[in-house]
Amino acid sequence: MKAHGQAHKYGDNIDTDVIIPARYLNTSDPKELGALCMIDIDQDFVKKVQSGDIMVGGYNFGCGSSREHAPIAIKASGIDCVIAKSFARIFYRNAINIGLAILECEEASDKIETGDEISIDFDSGIITNHTKNESYQANAFPDFIKEIIVCNGLINKLKKESIHE
């Protein structure tokens, strides 16, 4: 498993209401949520994001309410992975459940800047910043999390398993 794209960097305590404001939660359509992702702090976010890009945050990324809409909006916007110093636990679980790759890596969060070209090897946990010619080490995903992400979420993984039983 690998990812490659440009970085979009935000700070500490990016909460679920910043990721997708509550006023837009009258839908659960991923396309609509993705089109409104980060709108209150970065009006041009969805115009700048290319499929495969990487979001970078600081401490406590995804804090706030337990809504699944936040990781769905990030994934639907085109982001392949979120790197942060730490994640709110409910956001972490919701992200994995919907198949959004997330990595905790303090050094990467500190050193990566918006626009840097980043690649990630999820098998080794190595994050490479091609712009700065640097590498950072995150924990590699265990196999069961890789399977969930490859299947595009926990529900799809369970459906796949039930077909093979």
Side-chain angles (χ1 to χ4, degrees):
M1 283 183 49
K2 296 187 185 300
H4 185 98
Q6 283 198 335
H8 302 270
K9 187 171 183 176
Y10 301 94
D12 295 335
N13 300 307
I14 297 298
D15 67 39
T16 54
D17 203 48
V18 167
I19 296 167
I20 183 69
R23 67 185 179 275
Y24 298 119
L25 297 182
N26 55 352
T27 183
S28 58
D29 177 27
K31 281 187 177 182
E32 288 182 44
L33 294 171
L36 298 164
C37 188
M38 308 303 276
I39 195 164
D40 283 351
I41 63 168
D42 188 349
Q43 293 258 329
D44 294 326
F45 173 75
V46 294
K47 295 176 189 168
K48 296 183 285 190
V49 172
Q50 300 291 314
S51 182
D53 280 357
I54 313 298
M55 186 178 281
V56 180
Y59 290 108
N60 203 27
F61 189 94
C63 57
S65 72
S66 61
R67 63 180 75 135
E68 281 185 331
H69 297 77
I72 291 169
I74 291 170
K75 185 175 178 182
S77 75
I79 296 292
D80 268 4
C81 180
V82 180
I83 300 167
K85 292 180 182 182
S86 65
F87 291 92
R89 294 295 98 186
I90 293 173
F91 179 89
Y92 186 96
R93 190 63 229 181
N94 283 340
I96 297 300
N97 284 348
I98 62 105
L100 174 64
I102 57 177
L103 292 172
E104 290 182 339
C105 183
E106 203 164 319
E107 183 181 21
S109 177
D110 283 339
K111 293 185 175 181
I112 294 171
E113 299 297 329
T114 293
D116 287 357
E117 183 186 351
I118 307 298
S119 63
I120 303 166
D121 182 329
F122 294 108
D123 293 322
S124 66
I126 295 175
I127 301 164
T128 303
N129 185 331
H130 300 282
T131 304
K132 295 182 177 174
N133 199 28
E134 297 177 341
S135 292
Y136 323 108
Q137 183 67 57
N139 289 329
F141 284 140
D143 288 340
F144 79 96
I145 289 181
K146 281 193 278 190
E147 284 183 53
I148 292 170
I149 293 168
V150 166
C151 289
N152 202 26
L154 181 60
I155 298 297
N156 291 333
K157 181 184 180 310
L158 295 173
K159 285 179 186 176
K160 180 181 170 188
E161 287 175 359
S162 69
I163 290 171
H164 291 87
E165 287 183 358

